[in-house]
Amino acid sequence: MDKTLIIFFISVVFITFYYNNFASSQLLSPIAKDTNTFHYCENSFYQKFLIPCNLGDAGNTITNGMLLSLQQLQQLHYLQYQQQQLNYLIQQQQQLASKLQLVLKNLLPISPPPPATPPATPPATPPATPPATPPATPPATPPATPPENPIGKGLSPDLDAARMYQTHNLNLGPNIKHFVILIPHEGHHGASDDDSRLIDQPFVPSSATISKGTNVIWFNGDVGHEHSLILSDAKNSQNSLENKTTFGYNESFEHQYNSIGDFVYKDSKIYKDKFEMTGKLKVVDSPSGGEDKTENSDIVGSFIAPMEDLDTYTKGFQESGIKTDNIHNYTSPSGEKASLIVWSSSGEDVNVVLEKLEDMTKQLPYE
């Protein structure tokens, strides 16, 4: 586009220069050659521009009542010619200017006017931010209370080992005829001697609610230690129900509770740091305050084994015809990984079940 405009402007300059110089000199050449010959007024130049030329024999003429010499007439004609030539050039330049405008219009598209700028909208003023309210301090969460075992909830499995581990308590239904309480290995150690304990209770469980007529059996799983129990009424510790002579490891002692009330039992020996092994029983006509569903069992007990050998012992229970109702894995006070197994049996003689329990206990790695 720039090259085209340059060529166009050069053409305009050239034409103007031509008419101002070369063409004018050629048209005026007859007058310049001989100003004394009046016949020159008849040449094509004067005819073209219709210049009047009436010269007399003496070379004079009268114009508008004035006598002009031949030289004056030629000067007048020359002035008339220049005026006409100037008008002609102006006309040519106007035509060229019109053509130039047309070319520029085709080459340079007219830019549309810029869009109207909408009035500036002032920025919206954000709503005032209320002062930050410090977060409400949540009420202190009371320590978690192990769940109760309400009547009618229907636990599955029937007996909850985790609840028994947390609460040290078990509530039994009226169909249970024999309840086996475990004296765990190193159960004679108290809290001051945690490095030795397998579980943080001397009896598993150390508290229970049973129905009147239930036969309670204490099974000694404390390797290398003998135990003797004193059973008494909770309201009167002097009212001894029964005193048992010593029974050793993997042996048992039993007592049937035929009266309702609260009862306690304890080992007759006081151990290190004055630690006493104690437990309690609540005997009711029908269980209240909770009941584990054990309708399909009549013997219930517990067993503790190393967690790493859990599969071996659960398989042993299964092969012995004893059901493992529920299992809870935990870390013992001594740092060992252990498993608490709640087991049950139905329709089998209690002595046979105890013999199977003794065989299982002999396989434990505790010393």
Side-chain angles (χ1 to χ4, degrees):
M1 180 176 68
D2 295 338
K3 184 177 180 181
T4 304
L5 290 176
I6 292 172
I7 295 173
F8 183 80
F9 281 116
I10 292 174
S11 301
V12 172
V13 173
F14 177 80
I15 294 171
T16 304
F17 178 80
Y18 174 82
Y19 277 104
N20 288 339
N21 295 279
F22 179 77
S24 62
S25 65
Q26 294 297 320
L27 292 172
L28 296 176
S29 61
I31 299 177
K33 287 182 179 181
D34 190 356
T35 59
N36 296 319
T37 306
F38 70 92
H39 295 290
Y40 272 69
C41 65
E42 296 177 357
N43 70 9
S44 60
F45 168 75
Y46 292 98
Q47 291 176 358
K48 180 178 180 181
F49 292 99
L50 302 176
I51 298 175
C53 184
N54 298 317
L55 300 176
D57 294 337
N60 298 322
T61 185
I62 298 175
T63 302
N64 295 330
M66 297 178 64
L67 179 63
L68 299 174
S69 67
L70 178 59
Q71 185 178 3
Q72 290 174 334
L73 180 61
Q74 288 177 343
Q75 290 177 351
L76 176 62
H77 289 173
Y78 180 71
L79 293 174
Q80 290 176 340
Y81 159 74
Q82 285 185 329
Q83 180 65 41
Q84 292 175 349
Q85 181 69 10
L86 180 60
N87 293 339
Y88 176 78
L89 292 175
I90 292 173
Q91 183 180 6
Q92 292 295 321
Q93 289 178 349
Q94 290 177 345
Q95 292 177 355
L96 291 174
S98 298
K99 293 180 180 179
L100 177 60
Q101 290 179 355
L102 181 61
V103 170
L104 293 176
K105 183 178 181 181
N106 292 332
L107 293 178
L108 300 174
I110 300 176
S111 301
T117 304
T121 303
T125 303
T129 304
T133 303
T137 303
T141 304
T145 302
E148 294 287 340
N149 181 21
I151 297 176
K153 290 296 182 181
L155 294 176
S156 180
D158 296 333
L159 300 171
D160 192 338
R163 184 172 59 252
M164 186 171 70
Y165 173 83
Q166 295 167 357
T167 64
H168 302 183
N169 182 70
L170 188 64
N171 299 327
L172 300 175
N175 57 300
I176 298 300
K177 298 178 181 178
H178 305 278
F179 175 39
V180 181
I181 298 176
L182 173 66
I183 301 175
H185 178 57
E186 305 294 359
H188 60 278
H189 290 281
S192 62
D193 201 10
D194 274 348
D195 290 343
S196 301
R197 295 200 295 174
L198 192 61
I199 194 169
D200 62 346
Q201 47 186 312
F203 302 98
V204 183
S206 58
S207 175
T209 299
I210 61 176
S211 296
K212 184 175 65 173
T214 301
N215 185 47
V216 179
I217 303 171
W218 288 267
F219 184 88
N220 186 3
D222 191 3
V223 180
H225 293 273
E226 298 177 339
H227 293 277
S228 61
L229 300 180
I230 299 174
L231 314 181
S232 60
D233 191 321
K235 295 180 180 180
N236 184 4
S237 60
Q238 301 299 321
N239 184 13
S240 177
L241 302 180
E242 186 172 352
N243 291 327
K244 169 62 182 174
T245 57
T246 301
F247 62 104
Y249 169 69
N250 215 16
E251 296 180 348
S252 58
F253 158 69
E254 61 185 79
H255 178 82
Q256 186 172 11
Y257 286 85
N258 295 315
S259 301
I260 62 174
D262 296 323
F263 301 91
V264 294
Y265 55 91
K266 66 178 182 178
D267 193 303
S268 60
K269 182 178 178 180
I270 297 178
Y271 293 92
K272 181 181 177 180
D273 295 329
K274 299 182 179 181
F275 175 68
E276 293 186 85
M277 299 176 60
T278 61
K280 58 183 180 180
L281 293 168
K282 184 178 184 65
V283 182
V284 296
D285 276 331
S286 58
S288 60
E291 175 185 4
D292 280 305
K293 286 193 62 169
T294 54
E295 288 87 349
N296 297 325
S297 304
D298 52 24
I299 306 174
V300 171
S302 57
F303 188 87
I304 296 177
M307 188 187 303
E308 61 184 3
D309 299 327
L310 178 61
D311 291 342
T312 300
Y313 291 99
T314 53
K315 182 179 180 181
F317 276 111
Q318 183 179 4
E319 292 175 350
S320 300
I322 300 176
K323 179 182 177 183
T324 53
D325 291 85
N326 201 246
I327 299 172
H328 175 66
N329 297 322
Y330 67 96
T331 302
S332 70
S334 61
E336 299 180 39
K337 300 294 184 180
S339 298
L340 173 61
I341 302 172
V342 176
W343 58 265
S344 64
S345 178
S346 178
E348 193 167 11
D349 184 87
V350 65
N351 292 317
V352 174
V353 174
L354 289 175
E355 288 177 2
K356 294 178 181 179
L357 184 61
E358 291 170 5
D359 291 338
M360 294 284 294
T361 302
K362 291 177 182 179
Q363 301 175 30
L364 291 170
Y366 305 133
E367 295 179 356

